[in-house]
Amino acid sequence: MDRYEQVIELAKRRGFLWNSFELYGGAAGFYDYGPLGCTLKRRIEQIWRELYVIHEGFMEIETPTVGIEDVFVASGHVGGFSDPLCECQECEEAFRADHLVDKIVEVADALSNEELDRLIEENDIGCPECGGKLGKAYEFNLMFKTNIGPGTGRQGYMRPETAQGMFINFQRLSRYYRDKLPFGATQIGKSYRNEISPRQGVIRLREFTQAEAEIFTHPKEKGHPNFERFAEVTLNLYSDEAQEKGAIEQMTVKEAVENNMIAHEFLAYHIALTNHFLQRVGIAADKLRFRQHQKDEMAHYAIDCWDAEILTDRFGWIEVVGIADRTDFDLKAHAKTSGTELEIHIEYEEPKMVEQFVVKPDMGELGPLFKGKAKAVADALKELSEDELSKDEIKVTVNGEEFTVPSEIISYAQETVKVSGEKIVPHVIEPSYGIDRILYCTMEHAFDEEKVEAEGDEEEEERMVLRFRNEVAPVQVAILPLLTRDELIEPAKAIAQKLRERGLLVAYDDSRAIGRRYRRNDEIGTPYSITIDYDTLEDNSVTIRDRDTMKQVRASVEGIEDSIYDLVYGKLNLENAGVSI
């Protein structure tokens, strides 16, 4: 049994993750979160909110998980959101063609279908299920299609990412932030991708949770005001050049910008913020790297793009976060499709005298000619070049309708004008987090097995433990009466209530022997256990046990809620919480 199987077996047994629809035989690509998994997930999300919403000031919005077709036409998902699929000609199973060759080439998802076909043939790769011959690779769109409304309705799709809802709310967001750049919006929610062959558990799901920030910046001002916060932090960087050498480079954030490895300070800051978040939720620093997209996989519109990758036992390095400078691609795409300007007016510190090409349609003539559409026609004319305006017949298109405008009612010239500002289309910095993958990696990196002496016994036994960081542990403290006797249960429940009122997540457990209960809480990652025994009735003290060291101290019940709270959040260590026993 490898580490992945051990973690998933524990996750299913202890209520972290369950196969969806298990009663009916299940379906690949879907998982349920049990009581502990749901709590662990919420704790990870809450830390993300603390960093992005509270500290960075990027307010959260919530948009529908179903989108109309126009949105995804503009974003490019309808025309280009696909993966290469190939099918077995014998058993008819479907597979991602790039996954079949990912052990042969490092970046298989950058290959064309023709290159994938060639590699499959040259390496004699057959069907992973039956060994049969594979057909040619072709593109399969990953969006779930639906109809909005009765009958055929309006074409819609389940969103494949949360980002588009933030782009199409750009105008309202810019007004909310009083048109002051940079500003950002965040969203945590479900996304849907009809994966071809989701055979990697929670690593590849058809319904999954994303946490994304869209940060709108000035195209020419990409220094970060708080850059010094992370300037001296060392990152594991797997740059385009480093990938050619096959070696990860360690470098400070400041050095990476100075060496032009990372495009600019703003992007570097958010790579470092991602590094900070992932380590805070429990990802091991030596199993975390940032891989730069190579030239042949970089999106044509992106200035720079890096993936946070985590090393796992079974799957190797997996991408969990993408951090990209997407330039103005998204806003311009939605502006073009919607016919609405998605710009922001930037005020100059002092007005400037500038040369401008000015178009002056005669509104007195346009009004009678085009009636209610006259202003839209005039706006379209102002976007034309001098060459287009010098033609005998001038044509403009407004909302898909073409209009011909007589040239004699339009004048134009170069003029020196005084301007107080300019309209710009902001660039977008996008950190996009896959919460489900991060949760699995948090569990794998926390998982440990060791031989220990059985507590209360001389014999050794195998101890399985999840060494979660305290602030992400789904249960923070377990209350354990030594025996199921009323005289112990009553004070135990009173202590549990005090801890809950202090804001701690408490589990009460009086089932079976105390050693078994310790092991059970070790397995679910509970940092501290409190045992109530007959000495408690005599001197009003309890035993506090530490999950990682298994050390115990005796402490007074008086103020126990404050002591445990401080232990959980790192303000107190065990030795100072009571008397060692």
Side-chain angles (χ1 to χ4, degrees):
M1 186 181 286
D2 68 6
R3 181 58 53 91
Y4 174 81
E5 288 176 319
Q6 289 177 304
V7 172
I8 292 298
E9 188 276 330
L10 185 152
K12 290 179 179 178
R13 178 163 48 84
R14 291 300 186 199
F16 287 92
L17 293 165
W18 297 322
N19 291 102
S20 297
F21 324 119
E22 204 163 26
L23 196 64
Y24 294 96
F30 297 95
Y31 266 86
D32 293 345
Y33 284 91
L36 294 177
C38 203
T39 306
L40 175 60
K41 188 179 182 186
R42 295 295 172 263
R43 290 198 181 284
I44 291 170
E45 290 173 352
Q46 200 53 42
I47 292 170
W48 191 90
R49 283 188 173 97
E50 180 190 321
L51 294 179
Y52 281 89
V53 179
I54 297 174
H55 293 172
E56 298 298 319
F58 304 144
M59 298 300 287
E60 187 173 358
I61 68 171
E62 184 175 313
T63 63
T65 58
V66 176
I68 61 173
E69 186 173 36
D70 291 345
V71 171
F72 302 114
V73 168
S75 67
H77 286 93
V78 170
F81 188 63
S82 58
D83 279 337
L85 179 151
C86 66
E87 296 170 291
C88 176
Q89 295 179 350
E90 294 179 28
C91 71
E92 298 182 350
E93 277 287 320
F95 303 93
R96 278 226 3 212
D98 54 335
H99 287 178
L100 297 172
V101 301
D102 60 6
K103 298 292 189 293
I104 300 167
V105 292
E106 188 164 3
V107 189
D109 58 4
L111 300 175
S112 68
N113 289 343
E114 291 73 22
E115 289 171 319
L116 291 168
D117 289 337
R118 178 179 55 78
L119 282 170
I120 288 170
E121 187 174 344
E122 286 177 357
N123 291 276
D124 197 25
I125 297 171
C127 171
E129 295 294 326
C130 73
K133 184 173 175 56
L134 295 166
K136 298 288 186 183
Y138 65 93
E139 293 303 310
F140 173 77
N141 191 285
L142 300 177
M143 284 198 294
F144 284 101
K145 191 181 290 188
T146 187
N147 290 319
I148 301 169
T152 55
R154 186 177 186 181
Q155 184 68 65
Y157 295 91
M158 303 299 289
R159 67 182 183 191
E161 61 184 21
T162 64
Q164 301 308 318
M166 290 178 273
F167 295 138
I168 60 180
N169 277 299
F170 170 75
Q171 289 176 311
R172 294 188 180 278
L173 286 166
S174 65
R175 284 196 290 273
Y176 177 84
Y177 286 103
R178 297 179 294 281
D179 295 333
K180 301 292 184 185
L181 292 173
F183 65 82
T186 64
Q187 188 165 194
I188 299 181
K190 293 288 190 179
S191 295
Y192 305 85
R193 298 181 184 180
N194 195 12
E195 294 285 352
I196 293 167
S197 51
R199 294 176 170 87
Q200 295 175 297
V202 291
I203 304 303
R204 193 163 297 279
L205 295 170
R206 288 177 165 136
E207 177 184 291
F208 55 95
T209 299
Q210 280 186 302
E212 293 190 295
E214 305 301 332
I215 306 152
F216 302 97
T217 67
H218 194 293
K220 297 176 183 176
E221 297 172 11
K222 292 186 179 176
H224 197 285
N226 295 324
F227 183 71
E228 290 305 313
R229 176 186 176 191
F230 295 122
E232 300 305 324
V233 171
T234 299
L235 300 175
N236 296 323
L237 297 176
Y238 200 35
S239 66
D240 183 14
E241 189 177 323
Q243 289 170 64
E244 296 293 327
K245 302 173 186 173
I248 296 170
E249 300 171 280
Q250 290 194 324
M251 192 178 297
T252 67
V253 178
K254 185 178 181 180
E255 288 170 339
V257 174
E258 289 176 345
N259 295 342
N260 296 315
M261 183 179 288
I262 300 175
H264 48 76
E265 281 187 8
F266 213 102
L267 185 64
Y269 178 90
H270 282 281
I271 291 171
L273 183 60
T274 301
N275 179 72
H276 173 71
F277 166 80
L278 291 173
Q279 290 191 43
R280 183 169 162 183
V281 300
I283 301 305
D286 61 343
K287 295 180 179 179
L288 171 62
R289 73 181 185 189
F290 291 87
R291 188 185 71 82
Q292 187 176 34
H293 283 206
Q294 294 182 293
K295 292 178 181 64
D296 59 356
E297 65 172 320
M298 186 90 71
H300 65 88
Y301 51 79
I303 288 175
D304 198 5
C305 183
W306 294 74
D307 290 339
E309 297 183 332
I310 296 173
L311 185 60
T312 62
D313 188 62
R314 175 182 287 191
F315 306 113
W317 291 99
I318 62 167
E319 173 202 347
V320 298
V321 188
I323 313 106
D325 183 336
R326 296 176 60 88
T327 67
D328 54 14
F329 172 80
D330 302 283
L331 292 180
K332 282 188 171 178
H334 283 294
K336 182 179 179 182
T337 303
S338 67
T340 303
E341 288 185 354
L342 299 178
E343 300 174 326
I344 196 166
H345 182 78
I346 303 295
E347 289 285 334
Y348 297 139
E349 289 184 11
E350 296 287 338
K352 297 179 182 179
M353 301 301 294
V354 298
E355 283 282 320
Q356 281 190 348
F357 180 68
V358 180
V359 180
K360 299 177 180 177
D362 186 337
M363 295 305 295
E365 295 287 344
L366 281 181
L369 279 173
F370 302 110
K371 307 247 183 311
K373 297 177 181 176
K375 184 180 182 304
V377 171
D379 289 342
L381 288 168
K382 291 175 184 178
E383 298 298 318
L384 299 181
S385 66
E386 185 173 354
D387 286 343
E388 291 169 311
L389 290 164
S390 63
K391 294 176 180 177
D392 293 335
E393 198 174 62
I394 301 169
K395 295 183 183 292
V396 292
T397 301
V398 176
N399 295 328
E401 186 177 356
E402 188 174 77
F403 298 91
T404 301
V405 185
S407 59
E408 62 268 18
I409 65 172
I410 307 165
S411 61
Y412 52 89
Q414 287 288 136
E415 294 182 3
T416 301
V417 295
K418 187 179 188 178
V419 294
S420 60
E422 63 178 321
K423 286 184 176 181
I424 64 162
V425 179
H427 282 196
V428 175
I429 309 298
E430 180 190 71
S432 177
Y433 290 71
I435 296 296
D436 307 271
R437 290 184 177 192
I438 291 168
L439 181 143
Y440 168 76
C441 292
T442 298
M443 290 191 69
E444 183 175 303
H445 286 201
F447 183 88
D448 193 18
E449 283 184 304
E450 60 182 356
K451 290 278 188 185
V452 296
E453 285 186 7
E455 290 173 86
D457 202 336
E458 295 300 317
E459 294 181 9
E460 278 197 338
E461 65 178 6
E462 193 79 34
R463 182 172 88 120
M464 193 178 290
V465 58
L466 287 174
R467 300 186 191 277
F468 286 131
R469 295 287 179 91
N470 289 354
E471 66 175 327
V472 301
V475 175
Q476 293 169 317
V477 57
I479 305 299
L480 313 174
L482 186 65
L483 300 169
T484 52
R485 304 278 173 82
D486 289 344
E487 61 267 29
L488 298 181
I489 289 171
E490 189 174 329
K493 289 190 172 179
I495 292 169
Q497 185 58 32
K498 288 172 70 174
L499 292 167
R500 289 184 179 119
E501 289 173 1
R502 189 67 175 86
L504 294 165
L505 210 156
V506 179
Y508 176 89
D509 187 355
D510 61 11
S511 175
R512 306 188 74 173
I514 190 70
R516 282 291 186 90
R517 283 181 274 164
Y518 283 149
R519 291 291 174 264
R520 197 152 58 215
N521 278 284
D522 291 342
E523 280 193 349
I524 67 172
T526 306
Y528 300 101
S529 298
I530 296 176
T531 304
I532 295 86
D533 54 26
Y534 282 99
D535 286 341
T536 307
L537 306 181
E538 298 293 326
D539 60 10
N540 202 35
S541 68
V542 293
T543 298
I544 303 174
R545 175 186 179 272
D546 178 86
R547 174 198 67 205
D548 292 335
T549 64
M550 297 188 295
K551 290 180 180 177
Q552 299 181 2
V553 297
R554 199 75 184 174
S556 172
V557 172
E558 194 67 38
I560 191 72
E561 68 275 23
D562 294 323
S563 296
I564 297 297
Y565 185 91
D566 288 345
L567 281 168
V568 168
Y569 290 102
K571 299 176 183 177
L572 182 69
N573 58 42
L574 188 70
E575 289 72 21
N576 295 328
V579 179
S580 296
I581 54 175

